[in-house]
Amino acid sequence: MAILYIVATPIGNLEDLSSRALRILKEVDLILCEDTRVTKKLLNYYNTKTKTLSYHQHSRLKKINYILDLLKKGKNLALVSDAGTPGISDPGNKLISAAMKQCNNLTIVPIPGPSAVTCVASISGFPMNKFLFLGFPPTKRKRKNFFKKVLESEYPVIFYESPYRILKTLNELRSMNYGLRMVVARELTKKFETIYRGKINEVIKKIKKEKIKGEFVVIVGR
Ligand code: SAM
């Protein structure tokens, strides 16, 4: 019987890997990575020599079949993404779904840990008993629709954004509602971690004052 572990890894600070995650990464036959170079930094930090193989959203059927064959042969594998919990706005689901359909004796085991969603939720100060997570805003069509969902939600809304589009996205949101309260978190757990809080206008002003670099996660309050 094979096991496919879905392993959460740090969203920046390498110390945030759980000891269980480390043990699994050391014990498995192979680690499936979104980008092997990114994962190797983590593995080197923990002196882990386990073999890696890239698996990402553009992986072809041939690669997926190769991975499924390993599971069918009883190999234990770990799936990681570049950062955080695999499957939350990054590849993983496709492989899990194919593995469930095609491998009879397979157990899928989650190894929980960091995610930018829960990280920002934990510091927001908004009531987070219920919230809506919307992933990345679409880059072209359907943007208005996305923002409508953000504005109409009964609960706080969390979404991801890239440094290239964060200002554009916030400006568009502001044009639809000037009074939004929000938290924008940049580079969580990393050296340049910055938390911008306040009305959307204030947050935009603060972000504009700095170099817009790094990774962003936004939470719009209720
Ligand atoms: N699966 C990951 C997770 O559990 O957080 C998210 C993957 S998604 C492809 C990457 C996005 O997550 C980034 O573009 C950014 O919006 C957000 N993110 C990841 N790490 C972050 C960090 N350290 N600080 C702020 N946002 C982060």
Side-chain angles (χ1 to χ4, degrees):
M1 194 181 77
I3 303 178
L4 174 61
Y5 296 96
I6 312 301
V7 182
T9 55
I11 58 168
N13 191 321
L14 298 183
E15 288 178 31
D16 289 337
L17 186 75
S18 78
S19 46
R20 183 172 174 228
L22 178 58
R23 178 176 61 76
I24 299 294
L25 293 179
K26 281 183 188 280
E27 285 176 5
V28 290
D29 297 301
L30 183 70
I31 303 171
L32 308 171
C33 317
E34 206 178 339
D35 182 337
T36 52
R37 289 162 305 180
V38 173
T39 302
K40 284 224 168 106
K41 276 188 201 150
L42 177 73
L43 297 180
N44 287 341
Y45 183 82
Y46 285 102
N47 213 1
T48 299
K49 307 260 184 287
T50 312
K51 278 193 190 144
T52 58
L53 178 74
S54 76
Y55 168 77
H56 45 73
Q57 57 182 342
H58 304 297
S59 286
R60 304 200 172 197
L61 195 61
K62 201 171 152 199
K63 175 72 88 50
I64 296 180
N65 284 338
Y66 173 72
I67 294 168
L68 295 181
D69 274 347
L70 292 176
L71 291 168
K72 285 176 195 163
K73 283 180 191 151
K75 300 278 181 204
N76 294 331
L77 309 185
L79 173 72
V80 301
S81 57
D82 283 352
T85 302
I88 312 294
S89 292
D90 57 28
N93 308 321
K94 201 163 107 186
L95 180 68
I96 295 172
S97 157
M100 282 189 320
K101 281 185 202 137
Q102 294 188 39
C103 305
N104 290 332
N105 277 325
L106 175 69
T107 309
I108 295 174
V109 178
I111 309 294
S115 176
V117 181
T118 46
C119 191
V120 75
S122 73
I123 52 124
S124 76
F126 298 128
M128 297 304 295
N129 302 345
K130 295 177 184 178
F131 65 86
L132 180 63
F133 171 61
L134 290 178
F136 286 94
T139 51
K140 290 185 187 119
R141 289 188 308 130
K142 301 200 178 144
R143 268 175 86 76
K144 274 266 162 344
N145 205 20
F146 178 94
F147 295 131
K148 249 180 100 192
K149 281 191 195 144
V150 174
L151 298 175
E152 286 172 0
S153 169
E154 205 179 321
Y155 309 113
V157 182
I158 301 180
F159 63 87
Y160 290 153
E161 191 48 290
S162 85
Y164 312 106
R165 280 186 292 270
I166 185 74
L167 272 182
K168 181 175 189 292
T169 290
L170 294 182
N171 280 325
E172 274 179 69
L173 258 182
R174 178 176 57 179
S175 72
M176 294 170 82
N177 184 337
Y178 202 78
L180 291 178
R181 288 180 309 131
M182 58 171 49
V183 175
V184 177
R186 180 174 81 105
E187 295 284 85
L188 285 165
T189 77
K190 301 189 204 177
K191 188 174 171 194
F192 295 107
E193 177 179 273
T194 320
I195 314 288
Y196 308 93
R197 292 174 191 270
K199 290 253 179 77
I200 187 162
N201 208 29
E202 296 155 9
V203 168
I204 290 174
K205 268 191 203 153
K206 286 181 208 165
I207 294 177
K208 267 187 182 163
K209 271 191 199 149
E210 293 178 26
K211 258 204 182 135
I212 304 171
K213 265 173 90 172
E215 308 204 77
F216 288 85
V217 54
V218 178
I219 170 159
V220 178
R222 285 294 175 269

PDB file of all heavy atoms in Angstrom, residues 11 83-85 88-90 115-116 136 160-161 185 187-188 190 215-217, ligand 1:
ATOM      1  N   ILE A  11       5.873  29.510   4.446  1.00  0.00           N
ATOM      2  CA  ILE A  11       5.536  30.530   3.439  1.00  0.00           C
ATOM      3  C   ILE A  11       6.648  31.584   3.380  1.00  0.00           C
ATOM      4  O   ILE A  11       6.459  32.666   2.840  1.00  0.00           O
ATOM      5  CB  ILE A  11       4.169  31.192   3.699  1.00  0.00           C
ATOM      6  CG1 ILE A  11       4.101  31.843   5.087  1.00  0.00           C
ATOM      7  CG2 ILE A  11       3.048  30.208   3.504  1.00  0.00           C
ATOM      8  CD1 ILE A  11       2.891  32.746   5.265  1.00  0.00           C
ATOM      9  N   ALA A  83       5.366  27.185  -1.546  1.00  0.00           N
ATOM     10  CA  ALA A  83       5.168  27.779  -0.219  1.00  0.00           C
ATOM     11  C   ALA A  83       3.775  27.423   0.281  1.00  0.00           C
ATOM     12  O   ALA A  83       2.830  27.397  -0.500  1.00  0.00           O
ATOM     13  CB  ALA A  83       5.277  29.305  -0.313  1.00  0.00           C
ATOM     14  N   GLY A  84       3.687  27.123   1.562  1.00  0.00           N
ATOM     15  CA  GLY A  84       2.377  26.927   2.176  1.00  0.00           C
ATOM     16  C   GLY A  84       1.769  25.563   1.923  1.00  0.00           C
ATOM     17  O   GLY A  84       2.476  24.570   1.724  1.00  0.00           O
ATOM     18  N   THR A  85       0.457  25.537   1.914  1.00  0.00           N
ATOM     19  CA  THR A  85      -0.273  24.275   1.838  1.00  0.00           C
ATOM     20  C   THR A  85      -0.619  23.935   0.391  1.00  0.00           C
ATOM     21  O   THR A  85      -1.287  24.730  -0.277  1.00  0.00           O
ATOM     22  CB  THR A  85      -1.557  24.376   2.694  1.00  0.00           C
ATOM     23  OG1 THR A  85      -1.161  24.691   4.034  1.00  0.00           O
ATOM     24  CG2 THR A  85      -2.332  23.081   2.681  1.00  0.00           C
ATOM     25  N   ILE A  88      -3.917  24.951  -2.179  1.00  0.00           N
ATOM     26  CA  ILE A  88      -4.581  26.229  -1.919  1.00  0.00           C
ATOM     27  C   ILE A  88      -4.027  27.225  -2.937  1.00  0.00           C
ATOM     28  O   ILE A  88      -2.951  27.785  -2.740  1.00  0.00           O
ATOM     29  CB  ILE A  88      -4.320  26.750  -0.475  1.00  0.00           C
ATOM     30  CG1 ILE A  88      -4.556  25.668   0.564  1.00  0.00           C
ATOM     31  CG2 ILE A  88      -5.154  27.997  -0.190  1.00  0.00           C
ATOM     32  CD1 ILE A  88      -5.979  25.199   0.705  1.00  0.00           C
ATOM     33  N   SER A  89      -4.735  27.384  -4.049  1.00  0.00           N
ATOM     34  CA  SER A  89      -4.293  28.249  -5.157  1.00  0.00           C
ATOM     35  C   SER A  89      -2.952  27.831  -5.732  1.00  0.00           C
ATOM     36  O   SER A  89      -2.181  28.668  -6.189  1.00  0.00           O
ATOM     37  CB  SER A  89      -4.204  29.721  -4.724  1.00  0.00           C
ATOM     38  OG  SER A  89      -5.460  30.224  -4.464  1.00  0.00           O
ATOM     39  N   ASP A  90      -2.627  26.554  -5.660  1.00  0.00           N
ATOM     40  CA  ASP A  90      -1.473  26.055  -6.407  1.00  0.00           C
ATOM     41  C   ASP A  90      -1.726  24.603  -6.790  1.00  0.00           C
ATOM     42  O   ASP A  90      -2.713  24.019  -6.378  1.00  0.00           O
ATOM     43  CB  ASP A  90      -0.150  26.270  -5.646  1.00  0.00           C
ATOM     44  CG  ASP A  90      -0.139  25.646  -4.277  1.00  0.00           C
ATOM     45  OD1 ASP A  90      -0.846  24.653  -4.079  1.00  0.00           O
ATOM     46  OD2 ASP A  90       0.579  26.160  -3.407  1.00  0.00           O
ATOM     47  N   SER A 115      -0.048  28.458   5.862  1.00  0.00           N
ATOM     48  CA  SER A 115      -0.698  28.911   4.632  1.00  0.00           C
ATOM     49  C   SER A 115      -0.876  30.413   4.772  1.00  0.00           C
ATOM     50  O   SER A 115      -1.164  30.901   5.872  1.00  0.00           O
ATOM     51  CB  SER A 115      -2.050  28.225   4.462  1.00  0.00           C
ATOM     52  OG  SER A 115      -2.680  28.745   3.316  1.00  0.00           O
ATOM     53  N   ALA A 116      -0.708  31.143   3.671  1.00  0.00           N
ATOM     54  CA  ALA A 116      -0.853  32.603   3.749  1.00  0.00           C
ATOM     55  C   ALA A 116      -2.273  32.986   4.187  1.00  0.00           C
ATOM     56  O   ALA A 116      -2.465  33.999   4.848  1.00  0.00           O
ATOM     57  CB  ALA A 116      -0.513  33.231   2.400  1.00  0.00           C
ATOM     58  N   PHE A 136      -6.783  34.178  -6.296  1.00  0.00           N
ATOM     59  CA  PHE A 136      -6.284  35.362  -7.016  1.00  0.00           C
ATOM     60  C   PHE A 136      -7.409  36.033  -7.804  1.00  0.00           C
ATOM     61  O   PHE A 136      -8.222  35.334  -8.412  1.00  0.00           O
ATOM     62  CB  PHE A 136      -5.214  34.959  -8.036  1.00  0.00           C
ATOM     63  CG  PHE A 136      -3.895  34.595  -7.433  1.00  0.00           C
ATOM     64  CD1 PHE A 136      -3.580  33.268  -7.144  1.00  0.00           C
ATOM     65  CD2 PHE A 136      -2.952  35.568  -7.142  1.00  0.00           C
ATOM     66  CE1 PHE A 136      -2.357  32.920  -6.589  1.00  0.00           C
ATOM     67  CE2 PHE A 136      -1.725  35.237  -6.600  1.00  0.00           C
ATOM     68  CZ  PHE A 136      -1.430  33.908  -6.313  1.00  0.00           C
ATOM     69  N   TYR A 160      -5.442  36.588  -2.691  1.00  0.00           N
ATOM     70  CA  TYR A 160      -4.018  36.726  -2.973  1.00  0.00           C
ATOM     71  C   TYR A 160      -3.811  37.754  -4.083  1.00  0.00           C
ATOM     72  O   TYR A 160      -4.680  37.939  -4.935  1.00  0.00           O
ATOM     73  CB  TYR A 160      -3.442  35.385  -3.476  1.00  0.00           C
ATOM     74  CG  TYR A 160      -3.355  34.290  -2.442  1.00  0.00           C
ATOM     75  CD1 TYR A 160      -3.395  32.948  -2.829  1.00  0.00           C
ATOM     76  CD2 TYR A 160      -3.206  34.574  -1.101  1.00  0.00           C
ATOM     77  CE1 TYR A 160      -3.290  31.929  -1.898  1.00  0.00           C
ATOM     78  CE2 TYR A 160      -3.098  33.553  -0.164  1.00  0.00           C
ATOM     79  CZ  TYR A 160      -3.145  32.237  -0.573  1.00  0.00           C
ATOM     80  OH  TYR A 160      -3.036  31.234   0.343  1.00  0.00           O
ATOM     81  N   GLU A 161      -2.641  38.399  -4.094  1.00  0.00           N
ATOM     82  CA  GLU A 161      -2.337  39.271  -5.223  1.00  0.00           C
ATOM     83  C   GLU A 161      -0.832  39.347  -5.413  1.00  0.00           C
ATOM     84  O   GLU A 161      -0.059  39.174  -4.463  1.00  0.00           O
ATOM     85  CB  GLU A 161      -2.958  40.658  -5.010  1.00  0.00           C
ATOM     86  CG  GLU A 161      -2.937  41.557  -6.221  1.00  0.00           C
ATOM     87  CD  GLU A 161      -3.428  40.905  -7.539  1.00  0.00           C
ATOM     88  OE1 GLU A 161      -2.717  40.025  -8.067  1.00  0.00           O
ATOM     89  OE2 GLU A 161      -4.498  41.300  -8.039  1.00  0.00           O
ATOM     90  N   ALA A 185      -1.145  42.189   3.924  1.00  0.00           N
ATOM     91  CA  ALA A 185       0.088  41.658   4.520  1.00  0.00           C
ATOM     92  C   ALA A 185       1.078  41.343   3.410  1.00  0.00           C
ATOM     93  O   ALA A 185       0.748  40.678   2.430  1.00  0.00           O
ATOM     94  CB  ALA A 185      -0.223  40.407   5.317  1.00  0.00           C
ATOM     95  N   GLU A 187       4.908  39.817   2.490  1.00  0.00           N
ATOM     96  CA  GLU A 187       6.078  39.042   2.905  1.00  0.00           C
ATOM     97  C   GLU A 187       5.945  38.454   4.320  1.00  0.00           C
ATOM     98  O   GLU A 187       6.874  38.562   5.138  1.00  0.00           O
ATOM     99  CB  GLU A 187       7.337  39.919   2.828  1.00  0.00           C
ATOM    100  CG  GLU A 187       7.704  40.364   1.425  1.00  0.00           C
ATOM    101  CD  GLU A 187       8.338  39.254   0.622  1.00  0.00           C
ATOM    102  OE1 GLU A 187       7.588  38.460   0.038  1.00  0.00           O
ATOM    103  OE2 GLU A 187       9.570  39.187   0.586  1.00  0.00           O
ATOM    104  N   LEU A 188       4.790  37.869   4.599  1.00  0.00           N
ATOM    105  CA  LEU A 188       4.564  37.277   5.921  1.00  0.00           C
ATOM    106  C   LEU A 188       5.669  36.289   6.291  1.00  0.00           C
ATOM    107  O   LEU A 188       6.092  35.487   5.440  1.00  0.00           O
ATOM    108  CB  LEU A 188       3.211  36.557   5.940  1.00  0.00           C
ATOM    109  CG  LEU A 188       1.988  37.467   6.017  1.00  0.00           C
ATOM    110  CD1 LEU A 188       0.711  36.692   5.649  1.00  0.00           C
ATOM    111  CD2 LEU A 188       1.851  38.086   7.400  1.00  0.00           C
ATOM    112  N   LYS A 190       8.692  36.739   6.654  1.00  0.00           N
ATOM    113  CA  LYS A 190      10.014  36.983   6.059  1.00  0.00           C
ATOM    114  C   LYS A 190      10.631  38.256   6.635  1.00  0.00           C
ATOM    115  O   LYS A 190       9.990  38.997   7.375  1.00  0.00           O
ATOM    116  CB  LYS A 190       9.888  37.130   4.543  1.00  0.00           C
ATOM    117  CG  LYS A 190       9.283  35.926   3.860  1.00  0.00           C
ATOM    118  CD  LYS A 190       9.410  36.062   2.368  1.00  0.00           C
ATOM    119  CE  LYS A 190       8.361  35.229   1.669  1.00  0.00           C
ATOM    120  NZ  LYS A 190       8.393  35.381   0.226  1.00  0.00           N
ATOM    121  N   GLU A 215       5.389  39.269  -1.750  1.00  0.00           N
ATOM    122  CA  GLU A 215       4.110  38.589  -1.930  1.00  0.00           C
ATOM    123  C   GLU A 215       3.062  39.231  -1.046  1.00  0.00           C
ATOM    124  O   GLU A 215       3.350  39.618   0.088  1.00  0.00           O
ATOM    125  CB  GLU A 215       4.261  37.129  -1.550  1.00  0.00           C
ATOM    126  CG  GLU A 215       5.420  36.484  -2.274  1.00  0.00           C
ATOM    127  CD  GLU A 215       5.240  35.011  -2.380  1.00  0.00           C
ATOM    128  OE1 GLU A 215       4.450  34.594  -3.221  1.00  0.00           O
ATOM    129  OE2 GLU A 215       5.882  34.291  -1.611  1.00  0.00           O
ATOM    130  N   PHE A 216       1.853  39.314  -1.576  1.00  0.00           N
ATOM    131  CA  PHE A 216       0.787  40.027  -0.862  1.00  0.00           C
ATOM    132  C   PHE A 216      -0.431  39.141  -0.640  1.00  0.00           C
ATOM    133  O   PHE A 216      -0.819  38.372  -1.518  1.00  0.00           O
ATOM    134  CB  PHE A 216       0.334  41.244  -1.673  1.00  0.00           C
ATOM    135  CG  PHE A 216       1.329  42.372  -1.692  1.00  0.00           C
ATOM    136  CD1 PHE A 216       2.367  42.380  -2.613  1.00  0.00           C
ATOM    137  CD2 PHE A 216       1.238  43.421  -0.787  1.00  0.00           C
ATOM    138  CE1 PHE A 216       3.295  43.411  -2.643  1.00  0.00           C
ATOM    139  CE2 PHE A 216       2.161  44.461  -0.809  1.00  0.00           C
ATOM    140  CZ  PHE A 216       3.190  44.454  -1.740  1.00  0.00           C
ATOM    141  N   VAL A 217      -1.022  39.307   0.525  1.00  0.00           N
ATOM    142  CA  VAL A 217      -2.327  38.698   0.765  1.00  0.00           C
ATOM    143  C   VAL A 217      -3.212  39.778   1.414  1.00  0.00           C
ATOM    144  O   VAL A 217      -2.741  40.560   2.232  1.00  0.00           O
ATOM    145  CB  VAL A 217      -2.211  37.392   1.602  1.00  0.00           C
ATOM    146  CG1 VAL A 217      -1.469  37.594   2.889  1.00  0.00           C
ATOM    147  CG2 VAL A 217      -3.571  36.782   1.887  1.00  0.00           C
TER     148      VAL A 217
HETATM  149  N1  SAM B   1      -0.533  27.378  -1.226  1.00  0.00           N
HETATM  150  C1  SAM B   1      -0.058  28.640  -0.753  1.00  0.00           C
HETATM  151  C2  SAM B   1      -0.571  28.876   0.664  1.00  0.00           C
HETATM  152  O1  SAM B   1      -1.032  27.932   1.292  1.00  0.00           O
HETATM  153  O2  SAM B   1      -0.464  29.997   1.147  1.00  0.00           O
HETATM  154  C3  SAM B   1      -0.410  29.785  -1.690  1.00  0.00           C
HETATM  155  C4  SAM B   1       0.095  29.605  -3.086  1.00  0.00           C
HETATM  156  S1  SAM B   1      -0.252  30.914  -4.168  1.00  0.00           S
HETATM  157  C5  SAM B   1       0.386  30.269  -5.673  1.00  0.00           C
HETATM  158  C6  SAM B   1       0.960  32.097  -3.776  1.00  0.00           C
HETATM  159  C7  SAM B   1       0.364  33.374  -3.230  1.00  0.00           C
HETATM  160  O3  SAM B   1       0.164  33.257  -1.822  1.00  0.00           O
HETATM  161  C8  SAM B   1       1.271  34.572  -3.388  1.00  0.00           C
HETATM  162  O4  SAM B   1       1.163  35.157  -4.670  1.00  0.00           O
HETATM  163  C9  SAM B   1       0.761  35.499  -2.315  1.00  0.00           C
HETATM  164  O5  SAM B   1      -0.410  36.152  -2.723  1.00  0.00           O
HETATM  165  C10 SAM B   1       0.412  34.478  -1.196  1.00  0.00           C
HETATM  166  N2  SAM B   1       1.568  34.299  -0.301  1.00  0.00           N
HETATM  167  C11 SAM B   1       2.402  33.250  -0.245  1.00  0.00           C
HETATM  168  N3  SAM B   1       3.363  33.463   0.677  1.00  0.00           N
HETATM  169  C12 SAM B   1       3.123  34.676   1.199  1.00  0.00           C
HETATM  170  C13 SAM B   1       3.777  35.471   2.190  1.00  0.00           C
HETATM  171  N4  SAM B   1       4.881  35.035   2.805  1.00  0.00           N
HETATM  172  N5  SAM B   1       3.251  36.674   2.489  1.00  0.00           N
HETATM  173  C14 SAM B   1       2.144  37.127   1.863  1.00  0.00           C
HETATM  174  N6  SAM B   1       1.495  36.432   0.922  1.00  0.00           N
HETATM  175  C15 SAM B   1       1.974  35.223   0.591  1.00  0.00           C
END
